[in-house]
mmCIF file of all heavy atoms in Angstrom:
data_model
loop_
_atom_site.group_PDB
_atom_site.id
_atom_site.type_symbol
_atom_site.label_atom_id
_atom_site.label_comp_id
_atom_site.label_asym_id
_atom_site.label_seq_id
_atom_site.Cartn_x
_atom_site.Cartn_y
_atom_site.Cartn_z
ATOM 1 N N TRP Y 254 100.230 80.306 116.530
ATOM 2 C CA TRP Y 254 100.069 81.430 115.604
ATOM 3 C C TRP Y 254 100.736 82.688 116.157
ATOM 4 O O TRP Y 254 101.296 83.483 115.395
ATOM 5 C CB TRP Y 254 98.576 81.687 115.348
ATOM 6 C CG TRP Y 254 97.923 80.628 114.500
ATOM 7 C CD1 TRP Y 254 98.537 79.844 113.566
ATOM 8 C CD2 TRP Y 254 96.550 80.247 114.516
ATOM 9 N NE1 TRP Y 254 97.619 79.003 112.988
ATOM 10 C CE2 TRP Y 254 96.384 79.226 113.548
ATOM 11 C CE3 TRP Y 254 95.415 80.657 115.235
ATOM 12 C CZ2 TRP Y 254 95.158 78.623 113.293
ATOM 13 C CZ3 TRP Y 254 94.196 80.062 114.977
ATOM 14 C CH2 TRP Y 254 94.072 79.053 114.019
ATOM 15 N N ILE Y 255 100.646 82.861 117.467
ATOM 16 C CA ILE Y 255 101.291 84.035 118.073
ATOM 17 C C ILE Y 255 102.812 83.945 117.881
ATOM 18 O O ILE Y 255 103.467 84.934 117.550
ATOM 19 C CB ILE Y 255 100.923 84.153 119.570
ATOM 20 C CG1 ILE Y 255 99.450 84.552 119.716
ATOM 21 C CG2 ILE Y 255 101.837 85.153 120.285
ATOM 22 C CD1 ILE Y 255 98.909 84.491 121.133
ATOM 23 N N GLU Y 256 103.357 82.743 118.064
ATOM 24 C CA GLU Y 256 104.807 82.577 117.842
ATOM 25 C C GLU Y 256 105.184 82.943 116.408
ATOM 26 O O GLU Y 256 106.216 83.561 116.163
ATOM 27 C CB GLU Y 256 105.230 81.139 118.135
ATOM 28 C CG GLU Y 256 105.597 80.925 119.593
ATOM 29 C CD GLU Y 256 105.836 79.456 119.900
ATOM 30 O OE1 GLU Y 256 106.464 78.763 119.053
ATOM 31 O OE2 GLU Y 256 105.380 79.007 120.973
ATOM 32 N N LYS Y 257 104.343 82.554 115.472
ATOM 33 C CA LYS Y 257 104.626 82.901 114.074
ATOM 34 C C LYS Y 257 104.569 84.412 113.868
ATOM 35 O O LYS Y 257 105.395 84.987 113.164
ATOM 36 C CB LYS Y 257 103.639 82.203 113.138
ATOM 37 C CG LYS Y 257 103.930 80.719 113.022
ATOM 38 C CD LYS Y 257 103.031 80.064 111.992
ATOM 39 C CE LYS Y 257 103.380 78.586 111.869
ATOM 40 N NZ LYS Y 257 102.331 77.828 111.192
ATOM 41 N N ARG Y 258 103.583 85.047 114.470
ATOM 42 C CA ARG Y 258 103.504 86.515 114.376
ATOM 43 C C ARG Y 258 104.790 87.145 114.917
ATOM 44 O O ARG Y 258 105.324 88.093 114.348
ATOM 45 C CB ARG Y 258 102.310 87.042 115.180
ATOM 46 C CG ARG Y 258 100.966 86.803 114.543
ATOM 47 C CD ARG Y 258 99.835 87.343 115.426
ATOM 48 N NE ARG Y 258 98.533 87.123 114.827
ATOM 49 C CZ ARG Y 258 97.965 87.936 113.928
ATOM 50 N NH1 ARG Y 258 98.563 89.057 113.583
ATOM 51 N NH2 ARG Y 258 96.800 87.639 113.395
ATOM 52 N N ARG Y 259 105.259 86.614 116.038
ATOM 53 C CA ARG Y 259 106.466 87.175 116.654
ATOM 54 C C ARG Y 259 107.696 86.937 115.780
ATOM 55 O O ARG Y 259 108.594 87.768 115.703
ATOM 56 C CB ARG Y 259 106.670 86.596 118.063
ATOM 57 C CG ARG Y 259 105.671 87.148 119.087
ATOM 58 C CD ARG Y 259 105.846 86.497 120.444
ATOM 59 N NE ARG Y 259 107.194 86.686 120.983
ATOM 60 C CZ ARG Y 259 107.591 87.761 121.658
ATOM 61 N NH1 ARG Y 259 106.756 88.765 121.877
ATOM 62 N NH2 ARG Y 259 108.823 87.825 122.110
ATOM 63 N N ARG Y 260 107.743 85.802 115.125
ATOM 64 C CA ARG Y 260 108.888 85.515 114.252
ATOM 65 C C ARG Y 260 108.903 86.467 113.052
ATOM 66 O O ARG Y 260 109.949 86.955 112.641
ATOM 67 C CB ARG Y 260 108.842 84.056 113.784
ATOM 68 C CG ARG Y 260 110.080 83.277 114.271
ATOM 69 C CD ARG Y 260 110.030 81.827 113.848
ATOM 70 N NE ARG Y 260 109.188 81.077 114.777
ATOM 71 C CZ ARG Y 260 108.418 80.043 114.443
ATOM 72 N NH1 ARG Y 260 108.366 79.622 113.201
ATOM 73 N NH2 ARG Y 260 107.710 79.409 115.353
ATOM 74 N N ILE Y 261 107.714 86.728 112.515
ATOM 75 C CA ILE Y 261 107.624 87.660 111.380
ATOM 76 C C ILE Y 261 108.032 89.065 111.829
ATOM 77 O O ILE Y 261 108.792 89.757 111.144
ATOM 78 C CB ILE Y 261 106.193 87.639 110.786
ATOM 79 C CG1 ILE Y 261 105.919 86.282 110.143
ATOM 80 C CG2 ILE Y 261 106.001 88.775 109.790
ATOM 81 C CD1 ILE Y 261 104.450 86.001 109.862
ATOM 82 N N ALA Y 262 107.546 89.463 112.992
ATOM 83 C CA ALA Y 262 107.885 90.795 113.514
ATOM 84 C C ALA Y 262 109.396 90.913 113.733
ATOM 85 O O ALA Y 262 110.003 91.944 113.415
ATOM 86 C CB ALA Y 262 107.132 91.064 114.820
ATOM 87 N N ALA Y 263 110.007 89.853 114.241
ATOM 88 C CA ALA Y 263 111.451 89.878 114.488
ATOM 89 C C ALA Y 263 112.216 90.022 113.172
ATOM 90 O O ALA Y 263 113.220 90.744 113.095
ATOM 91 C CB ALA Y 263 111.882 88.612 115.229
ATOM 92 N N LEU Y 264 111.723 89.344 112.142
ATOM 93 C CA LEU Y 264 112.375 89.446 110.837
ATOM 94 C C LEU Y 264 112.235 90.865 110.273
ATOM 95 O O LEU Y 264 113.208 91.446 109.782
ATOM 96 C CB LEU Y 264 111.767 88.405 109.882
ATOM 97 C CG LEU Y 264 112.416 88.258 108.505
ATOM 98 C CD1 LEU Y 264 113.907 87.933 108.616
ATOM 99 C CD2 LEU Y 264 111.703 87.167 107.686
ATOM 100 N N TYR Y 265 111.037 91.428 110.365
ATOM 101 C CA TYR Y 265 110.842 92.832 109.974
ATOM 102 C C TYR Y 265 111.820 93.733 110.737
ATOM 103 O O TYR Y 265 112.486 94.585 110.150
ATOM 104 C CB TYR Y 265 109.420 93.293 110.308
ATOM 105 C CG TYR Y 265 108.382 93.128 109.217
ATOM 106 C CD1 TYR Y 265 107.138 92.569 109.506
ATOM 107 C CD2 TYR Y 265 108.611 93.586 107.922
ATOM 108 C CE1 TYR Y 265 106.154 92.448 108.534
ATOM 109 C CE2 TYR Y 265 107.625 93.467 106.938
ATOM 110 C CZ TYR Y 265 106.404 92.899 107.249
ATOM 111 O OH TYR Y 265 105.429 92.792 106.286
ATOM 112 N N ASN Y 266 111.845 93.567 112.073
ATOM 113 C CA ASN Y 266 112.713 94.416 112.900
ATOM 114 C C ASN Y 266 114.156 94.344 112.423
ATOM 115 O O ASN Y 266 114.856 95.353 112.344
ATOM 116 C CB ASN Y 266 112.665 93.984 114.374
ATOM 117 C CG ASN Y 266 111.362 94.377 115.048
ATOM 118 O OD1 ASN Y 266 110.624 95.227 114.532
ATOM 119 N ND2 ASN Y 266 111.068 93.770 116.176
ATOM 120 N N HIS Y 267 114.584 93.126 112.092
ATOM 121 C CA HIS Y 267 115.954 92.918 111.669
ATOM 122 C C HIS Y 267 116.224 93.575 110.308
ATOM 123 O O HIS Y 267 117.208 94.287 110.129
ATOM 124 C CB HIS Y 267 116.240 91.415 111.618
ATOM 125 C CG HIS Y 267 117.595 91.081 111.078
ATOM 126 N ND1 HIS Y 267 118.754 91.418 111.752
ATOM 127 C CD2 HIS Y 267 117.967 90.474 109.927
ATOM 128 C CE1 HIS Y 267 119.782 91.033 111.023
ATOM 129 N NE2 HIS Y 267 119.355 90.462 109.922
ATOM 130 N N LEU Y 268 115.319 93.346 109.375
ATOM 131 C CA LEU Y 268 115.560 93.810 108.004
ATOM 132 C C LEU Y 268 115.340 95.307 107.809
ATOM 133 O O LEU Y 268 115.830 95.887 106.843
ATOM 134 C CB LEU Y 268 114.683 93.024 107.017
ATOM 135 C CG LEU Y 268 114.978 91.526 106.909
ATOM 136 C CD1 LEU Y 268 113.946 90.824 106.024
ATOM 137 C CD2 LEU Y 268 116.389 91.270 106.377
ATOM 138 N N LEU Y 269 114.604 95.925 108.733
ATOM 139 C CA LEU Y 269 114.290 97.349 108.563
ATOM 140 C C LEU Y 269 115.068 98.244 109.520
ATOM 141 O O LEU Y 269 114.891 99.458 109.530
ATOM 142 C CB LEU Y 269 112.778 97.580 108.773
ATOM 143 C CG LEU Y 269 111.820 96.859 107.831
ATOM 144 C CD1 LEU Y 269 110.372 97.069 108.285
ATOM 145 C CD2 LEU Y 269 111.989 97.335 106.389
ATOM 146 N N GLN Y 270 115.944 97.627 110.321
ATOM 147 C CA GLN Y 270 116.510 98.362 111.464
ATOM 148 C C GLN Y 270 117.289 99.626 111.094
ATOM 149 O O GLN Y 270 117.310 100.577 111.849
ATOM 150 C CB GLN Y 270 117.385 97.436 112.307
ATOM 151 C CG GLN Y 270 118.522 96.806 111.529
ATOM 152 C CD GLN Y 270 119.304 95.791 112.363
ATOM 153 O OE1 GLN Y 270 119.304 95.868 113.568
ATOM 154 N NE2 GLN Y 270 119.960 94.851 111.701
ATOM 155 N N ASP Y 271 117.920 99.639 109.932
ATOM 156 C CA ASP Y 271 118.760 100.797 109.591
ATOM 157 C C ASP Y 271 118.030 101.856 108.773
ATOM 158 O O ASP Y 271 118.631 102.817 108.319
ATOM 159 C CB ASP Y 271 119.997 100.301 108.814
ATOM 160 C CG ASP Y 271 119.603 99.573 107.537
ATOM 161 O OD1 ASP Y 271 118.576 98.859 107.554
ATOM 162 O OD2 ASP Y 271 120.294 99.734 106.508
ATOM 163 N N LEU Y 272 116.751 101.690 108.561
ATOM 164 C CA LEU Y 272 115.997 102.656 107.744
ATOM 165 C C LEU Y 272 115.379 103.742 108.634
ATOM 166 O O LEU Y 272 115.184 103.523 109.830
ATOM 167 C CB LEU Y 272 114.913 101.918 106.943
ATOM 168 C CG LEU Y 272 115.468 100.955 105.882
ATOM 169 C CD1 LEU Y 272 114.341 100.168 105.226
ATOM 170 C CD2 LEU Y 272 116.282 101.708 104.832
ATOM 171 N N PRO Y 273 115.062 104.903 108.041
ATOM 172 C CA PRO Y 273 114.507 106.005 108.847
ATOM 173 C C PRO Y 273 113.033 105.790 109.192
ATOM 174 O O PRO Y 273 112.162 106.539 108.778
ATOM 175 C CB PRO Y 273 114.696 107.228 107.943
ATOM 176 C CG PRO Y 273 114.703 106.689 106.558
ATOM 177 C CD PRO Y 273 115.267 105.304 106.628
ATOM 178 N N ILE Y 274 112.776 104.732 109.951
ATOM 179 C CA ILE Y 274 111.408 104.365 110.343
ATOM 180 C C ILE Y 274 111.443 104.049 111.831
ATOM 181 O O ILE Y 274 112.432 103.476 112.310
ATOM 182 C CB ILE Y 274 110.938 103.062 109.666
ATOM 183 C CG1 ILE Y 274 111.358 102.959 108.215
ATOM 184 C CG2 ILE Y 274 109.462 102.875 109.793
ATOM 185 C CD1 ILE Y 274 111.012 101.602 107.618
ATOM 186 N N ASP Y 275 110.383 104.386 112.552
ATOM 187 C CA ASP Y 275 110.252 103.917 113.936
ATOM 188 C C ASP Y 275 109.570 102.557 113.921
ATOM 189 O O ASP Y 275 108.462 102.417 113.417
ATOM 190 C CB ASP Y 275 109.428 104.908 114.759
ATOM 191 C CG ASP Y 275 110.212 106.173 115.049
ATOM 192 O OD1 ASP Y 275 111.397 106.049 115.395
ATOM 193 O OD2 ASP Y 275 109.641 107.273 114.906
ATOM 194 N N LEU Y 276 110.256 101.579 114.479
ATOM 195 C CA LEU Y 276 109.733 100.210 114.493
ATOM 196 C C LEU Y 276 109.061 99.930 115.843
ATOM 197 O O LEU Y 276 109.357 100.603 116.826
ATOM 198 C CB LEU Y 276 110.888 99.225 114.272
ATOM 199 C CG LEU Y 276 111.686 99.425 112.978
ATOM 200 C CD1 LEU Y 276 112.849 98.431 112.910
ATOM 201 C CD2 LEU Y 276 110.794 99.262 111.757
ATOM 202 N N PRO Y 277 108.166 98.947 115.893
ATOM 203 C CA PRO Y 277 107.519 98.612 117.167
ATOM 204 C C PRO Y 277 108.546 98.173 118.210
ATOM 205 O O PRO Y 277 109.551 97.535 117.860
ATOM 206 C CB PRO Y 277 106.600 97.437 116.813
ATOM 207 C CG PRO Y 277 106.543 97.366 115.346
ATOM 208 C CD PRO Y 277 107.721 98.089 114.794
ATOM 209 N N LYS Y 278 108.298 98.516 119.446
ATOM 210 C CA LYS Y 278 109.189 98.121 120.538
ATOM 211 C C LYS Y 278 108.446 97.226 121.516
ATOM 212 O O LYS Y 278 107.222 97.268 121.586
ATOM 213 C CB LYS Y 278 109.697 99.358 121.260
ATOM 214 C CG LYS Y 278 110.616 100.191 120.404
ATOM 215 C CD LYS Y 278 111.266 101.290 121.233
ATOM 216 C CE LYS Y 278 112.292 102.049 120.402
ATOM 217 N NZ LYS Y 278 111.668 102.693 119.214
ATOM 218 N N GLU Y 279 109.231 96.441 122.253
ATOM 219 C CA GLU Y 279 108.640 95.528 123.239
ATOM 220 C C GLU Y 279 109.264 95.802 124.598
ATOM 221 O O GLU Y 279 110.478 95.721 124.755
ATOM 222 C CB GLU Y 279 108.887 94.082 122.817
ATOM 223 C CG GLU Y 279 108.241 93.065 123.717
ATOM 224 C CD GLU Y 279 108.462 91.621 123.243
ATOM 225 O OE1 GLU Y 279 109.596 91.296 122.828
ATOM 226 O OE2 GLU Y 279 107.507 90.834 123.294
ATOM 227 N N ALA Y 280 108.435 96.143 125.569
ATOM 228 C CA ALA Y 280 108.926 96.439 126.918
ATOM 229 C C ALA Y 280 109.338 95.162 127.643
ATOM 230 O O ALA Y 280 108.927 94.067 127.268
ATOM 231 C CB ALA Y 280 107.828 97.141 127.717
ATOM 232 N N ASP Y 281 110.144 95.333 128.692
ATOM 233 C CA ASP Y 281 110.556 94.184 129.518
ATOM 234 C C ASP Y 281 109.345 93.424 130.061
ATOM 235 O O ASP Y 281 109.379 92.219 130.218
ATOM 236 C CB ASP Y 281 111.358 94.656 130.747
ATOM 237 C CG ASP Y 281 112.657 95.301 130.356
ATOM 238 O OD1 ASP Y 281 113.099 95.078 129.219
ATOM 239 O OD2 ASP Y 281 113.213 96.050 131.192
ATOM 240 N N TRP Y 282 108.289 94.187 130.380
ATOM 241 C CA TRP Y 282 107.133 93.562 131.022
ATOM 242 C C TRP Y 282 106.239 92.816 130.046
ATOM 243 O O TRP Y 282 105.332 92.107 130.439
ATOM 244 C CB TRP Y 282 106.311 94.625 131.769
ATOM 245 C CG TRP Y 282 105.607 95.616 130.859
ATOM 246 C CD1 TRP Y 282 104.536 95.355 130.033
ATOM 247 C CD2 TRP Y 282 105.913 97.008 130.687
ATOM 248 N NE1 TRP Y 282 104.174 96.493 129.352
ATOM 249 C CE2 TRP Y 282 104.988 97.523 129.734
ATOM 250 C CE3 TRP Y 282 106.860 97.861 131.251
ATOM 251 C CZ2 TRP Y 282 105.007 98.859 129.332
ATOM 252 C CZ3 TRP Y 282 106.860 99.188 130.845
ATOM 253 C CH2 TRP Y 282 105.957 99.679 129.895
ATOM 254 N N ALA Y 283 106.464 93.001 128.738
ATOM 255 C CA ALA Y 283 105.457 92.579 127.759
ATOM 256 C C ALA Y 283 105.885 91.392 126.910
ATOM 257 O O ALA Y 283 107.064 91.206 126.602
ATOM 258 C CB ALA Y 283 105.119 93.748 126.840
ATOM 259 N N TYR Y 284 104.907 90.602 126.530
ATOM 260 C CA TYR Y 284 105.032 89.618 125.454
ATOM 261 C C TYR Y 284 104.063 90.102 124.379
ATOM 262 O O TYR Y 284 102.841 90.022 124.537
ATOM 263 C CB TYR Y 284 104.655 88.236 125.978
ATOM 264 C CG TYR Y 284 104.761 87.103 124.983
ATOM 265 C CD1 TYR Y 284 106.001 86.560 124.661
ATOM 266 C CD2 TYR Y 284 103.623 86.548 124.401
ATOM 267 C CE1 TYR Y 284 106.087 85.491 123.762
ATOM 268 C CE2 TYR Y 284 103.702 85.485 123.513
ATOM 269 C CZ TYR Y 284 104.946 84.967 123.198
ATOM 270 O OH TYR Y 284 105.026 83.898 122.317
ATOM 271 N N HIS Y 285 104.627 90.711 123.352
ATOM 272 C CA HIS Y 285 103.870 91.381 122.288
ATOM 273 C C HIS Y 285 103.331 90.311 121.339
ATOM 274 O O HIS Y 285 104.089 89.443 120.910
ATOM 275 C CB HIS Y 285 104.849 92.313 121.557
ATOM 276 C CG HIS Y 285 104.246 93.368 120.693
ATOM 277 N ND1 HIS Y 285 103.034 93.229 120.066
ATOM 278 C CD2 HIS Y 285 104.704 94.597 120.348
ATOM 279 C CE1 HIS Y 285 102.774 94.340 119.367
ATOM 280 N NE2 HIS Y 285 103.776 95.184 119.529
ATOM 281 N N VAL Y 286 102.045 90.395 120.983
ATOM 282 C CA VAL Y 286 101.500 89.380 120.069
ATOM 283 C C VAL Y 286 101.349 89.901 118.628
ATOM 284 O O VAL Y 286 100.860 89.179 117.759
ATOM 285 C CB VAL Y 286 100.158 88.785 120.574
ATOM 286 C CG1 VAL Y 286 100.395 87.992 121.856
ATOM 287 C CG2 VAL Y 286 99.095 89.858 120.789
ATOM 288 N N TYR Y 287 101.754 91.151 118.408
ATOM 289 C CA TYR Y 287 101.783 91.706 117.046
ATOM 290 C C TYR Y 287 100.489 91.458 116.278
ATOM 291 O O TYR Y 287 100.502 90.940 115.168
ATOM 292 C CB TYR Y 287 102.998 91.173 116.260
ATOM 293 C CG TYR Y 287 104.294 91.688 116.837
ATOM 294 C CD1 TYR Y 287 105.036 90.909 117.722
ATOM 295 C CD2 TYR Y 287 104.737 92.976 116.559
ATOM 296 C CE1 TYR Y 287 106.202 91.401 118.296
ATOM 297 C CE2 TYR Y 287 105.894 93.472 117.127
ATOM 298 C CZ TYR Y 287 106.621 92.673 117.991
ATOM 299 O OH TYR Y 287 107.756 93.163 118.559
ATOM 300 N N TYR Y 288 99.366 91.862 116.876
ATOM 301 C CA TYR Y 288 98.130 91.896 116.092
ATOM 302 C C TYR Y 288 98.416 92.745 114.852
ATOM 303 O O TYR Y 288 98.026 92.398 113.745
ATOM 304 C CB TYR Y 288 96.997 92.501 116.935
ATOM 305 C CG TYR Y 288 95.802 92.907 116.137
ATOM 306 C CD1 TYR Y 288 95.194 92.013 115.246
ATOM 307 C CD2 TYR Y 288 95.256 94.187 116.263
ATOM 308 C CE1 TYR Y 288 94.091 92.395 114.497
ATOM 309 C CE2 TYR Y 288 94.155 94.568 115.521
ATOM 310 C CZ TYR Y 288 93.576 93.665 114.645
ATOM 311 O OH TYR Y 288 92.491 94.056 113.904
ATOM 312 N N LEU Y 289 99.108 93.856 115.061
ATOM 313 C CA LEU Y 289 99.500 94.719 113.947
ATOM 314 C C LEU Y 289 100.990 95.012 114.040
ATOM 315 O O LEU Y 289 101.524 95.158 115.148
ATOM 316 C CB LEU Y 289 98.712 96.025 114.001
ATOM 317 C CG LEU Y 289 97.185 95.878 113.878
ATOM 318 C CD1 LEU Y 289 96.497 97.195 114.180
ATOM 319 C CD2 LEU Y 289 96.795 95.359 112.501
ATOM 320 N N TYR Y 290 101.634 95.085 112.891
ATOM 321 C CA TYR Y 290 103.030 95.524 112.846
ATOM 322 C C TYR Y 290 102.990 96.961 112.357
ATOM 323 O O TYR Y 290 102.882 97.233 111.154
ATOM 324 C CB TYR Y 290 103.869 94.632 111.926
ATOM 325 C CG TYR Y 290 105.344 94.971 112.020
ATOM 326 C CD1 TYR Y 290 106.135 94.421 113.025
ATOM 327 C CD2 TYR Y 290 105.928 95.871 111.138
ATOM 328 C CE1 TYR Y 290 107.472 94.750 113.139
ATOM 329 C CE2 TYR Y 290 107.267 96.214 111.249
ATOM 330 C CZ TYR Y 290 108.027 95.650 112.251
ATOM 331 O OH TYR Y 290 109.360 95.989 112.376
#
Side-chain angles (χ1 to χ4, degrees):
W254 288 333
I255 290 171
E256 272 172 41
K257 287 185 178 164
R258 286 179 180 275
R259 287 177 59 84
R260 242 179 278 146
I261 293 164
L264 186 57
Y265 269 133
N266 286 343
H267 175 66
L268 295 174
L269 299 173
Q270 58 185 336
D271 59 323
L272 294 175
I274 319 174
D275 287 316
L276 302 177
K278 292 189 175 60
E279 184 178 42
D281 295 341
W282 69 70
Y284 181 78
H285 196 331
V286 294
Y287 293 97
Y288 165 52
L289 299 170
Y290 187 84

